[in-house]
């Protein structure tokens, strides 16, 4: 019976899975910031140590006079040298040994002093070089972080189209930059979706309100309409107008939450004058005196939105005023490098703890979401949002005797 050859031995099983990523096989080969800084500082320490050791060796060799002549010499039967190495040849053995010992000790002390002085100078020089080299290398290593910071500052201006796109090794900075780019991409999509929603809502909400207003005006223009129908039409027209104001305010509030990309020179004095002109008729009806003190103050921004701020503040100052001898004062000025729009008025006493509530949507003094005919409760919210969009701020202060002082500050 023929015998079959034994099967060959199976190859040894691998101790690692080839499907594993390279980082899991040899993670220390990944050029991370930690590895790079470790190599950088270790290399700097090694180079500094080699330089310091070499300098000390050279200084010691020079100070000890290796290979040089003796510090004394024999001349005419006498041993002569420096002041510490000078003694007569006829001296006894003890005197000679003591003199030679003093001579050697003197030379050693002088060599050590020289070595210490030169070592201190070398240390100072190496320290300066190490600080300069470390500063330069740290700047080079941290340069990607500076690029990320600069991009983040540009994004603050709502320019979400910018990306870092950092090149280089796959380290922590590269991972941070890629994550930041992904976040910017998601934010850009979210803001684009919001802008599309605002545009669609603007069209869908304005159109039916405009149609209702047109129909009501047509019916009210009919001279044969009964008085009851005329009164109902006026009531419905007033309600429709209030709804239009609410929609316009909401849309403007949604748009002004973002920073402005396009800016043009706008004079706050001109903006305030227009607001006063638009509110003058209502002020006359309520017997409120208007006073203006406008100094040219040019800022970079959107004229329509800035005019809305001034109009909202002036209208609120007129509407929330006293019944008799009321006044509204509008001022513009440039103070400490900032343009200031200030609107102050007489009116009811406003507690300081209720100031912050005035800037919330649909909030009025001591009321919430009420059906007042003074507005829809969005004026100050819109003013604060527009001020933030221009890089400024708005603040309110209670005025002694009643009323408020509204101050808008914008960068020039």
């Amino acid at each position: 019976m023929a015998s079959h050859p034994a099967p060959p031995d199976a190859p040894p099983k691998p101790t690692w899975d080839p499907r594993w990523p390279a980082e899991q096989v040899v993670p220390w080969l990944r050029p991370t910031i930690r590895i790079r800084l470790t190599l950088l500082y270790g290399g700097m320490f090694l180079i500094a140590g080699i330089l310091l050791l070499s300098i000390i060796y050279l200084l010691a060799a020079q100070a000890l006079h290796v290979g040089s002549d003796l510090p004394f010499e024999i001349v005419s039967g006498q041993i002569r040298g420096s002041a510490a190495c000078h003694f007569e040849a006829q001296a006894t053995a003890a005197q000679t040994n003591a003199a030679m010992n003093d001579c050697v000790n003197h030379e050693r002390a002088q060599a050590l002093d020289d070595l210490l002085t030169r070592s201190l100078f070398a240390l100072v020089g190496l320290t300066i070089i190490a600080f300069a080299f470390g500063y330069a290398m740290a700047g080079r290593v941290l340069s990607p972080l500076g690029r990320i910071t600069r991009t983040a500052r540009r994004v603050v201006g709502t320019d979400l189209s910018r990306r870092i796109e950092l090149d280089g090794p796959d380290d922590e900075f590269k991972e941070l930059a890629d994550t930041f780019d992904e976040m910017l991409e998601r934010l850009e999509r979210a803001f684009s979706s919001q802008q599309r929603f605002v545009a669609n809502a603007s069209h869908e909400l304005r159109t039916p309100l405009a149609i209702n207003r047109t129909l009501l005006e047509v019916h009210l223009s009919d001279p044969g309409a009964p008085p009851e129908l005329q009164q109902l039409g006026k009531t419905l027209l007033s309600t429709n107008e209030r709804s239009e104001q609410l929609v316009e305010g909401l849309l403007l509030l949604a748009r002004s939450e973002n920073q402005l990309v396009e800016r043009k020179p706008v004079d706050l004095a001109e903006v305030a004058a227009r607001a006063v002109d638009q509110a003058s008729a209502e002020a006359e009806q309520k017997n409120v005196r208007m006073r203006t003190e406008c100094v040219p103050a040019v800022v970079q921004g959107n004229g329509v939105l800035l005019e809305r701020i001034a109009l909202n503040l002036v209208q609120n100052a007129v509407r929330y005023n006293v019944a008799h001898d009321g006044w509204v004062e509008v001022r513009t000025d440039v103070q400490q490098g900032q343009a200031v729009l200030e609107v102050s008025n007489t009116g009811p006493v406003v507690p300081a703890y209720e100031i912050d509530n005035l800037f919330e949507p649909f909030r009025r003094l001591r009321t919430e979401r009420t059906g007042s005919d003074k507005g829809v409760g969005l004026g100050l919210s819109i003013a604060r949002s527009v001020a933030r969009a221009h890089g400024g701020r708005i603040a309110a202060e209670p005025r002694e005797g009643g009323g408020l002082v509204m101050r808008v500050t914008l960068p020039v």
Side-chain angles (χ1 to χ4, degrees), residues 112-245:
L112 289 176
D113 292 339
D114 189 33
L115 177 62
L116 179 60
T117 303
R118 297 190 180 188
S119 298
L120 289 177
F121 281 112
L123 180 61
V124 172
L126 284 177
T127 302
I128 296 175
I129 295 175
F131 273 105
F133 184 74
Y135 184 81
M137 293 304 298
R140 183 173 181 83
V141 172
L142 297 178
S143 59
L145 187 60
R147 182 175 175 181
I148 295 173
T149 303
R150 290 190 296 270
T151 303
R153 288 176 179 172
R154 296 190 187 101
V155 171
V156 173
T158 320
D159 188 5
L160 297 177
S161 61
R162 294 183 178 273
R163 298 293 184 270
I164 300 176
E165 297 179 352
L166 186 65
D167 298 329
D170 188 16
D171 55 10
E172 289 87 348
F173 284 147
K174 182 70 164 56
E175 185 177 357
L176 176 61
D178 293 342
T179 304
F180 192 78
D181 287 341
E182 293 177 1
M183 182 189 68
L184 290 179
E185 186 175 356
R186 291 195 297 268
L187 287 176
E188 186 179 13
R189 289 198 301 265
F191 277 105
S192 299
S193 176
Q194 181 187 19
Q195 292 175 355
R196 288 193 300 269
F197 171 78
V198 170
N200 295 333
S202 174
H203 175 74
E204 296 296 333
L205 294 176
R206 286 174 177 172
T207 301
L209 291 176
I211 294 175
N212 290 341
R213 184 180 70 252
T214 302
L215 293 176
L216 290 173
E217 290 175 349
V218 169
H219 284 290
L220 289 176
S221 63
D222 185 8
E228 295 82 2
L229 186 58
Q230 291 280 349
Q231 184 63 33
L232 178 61
K234 292 180 180 179
T235 303
L236 292 177
L237 188 61
S238 176
T239 304
N240 191 84
E241 183 180 358
R242 177 178 171 79
S243 299
E244 289 181 345
Q245 293 178 0

Side-chain angles (χ1 to χ4, degrees), residues 9 24 35 41 56 64 79 109 120 142 207 218 327 367 399:
D9 295 337
Q24 296 184 12
I35 296 297
Y41 295 147
I56 291 176
L64 294 177
I79 301 177
L120 289 177
L142 297 178
T207 301
V218 169
W327 54 265
T367 58
R399 182 181 164 274

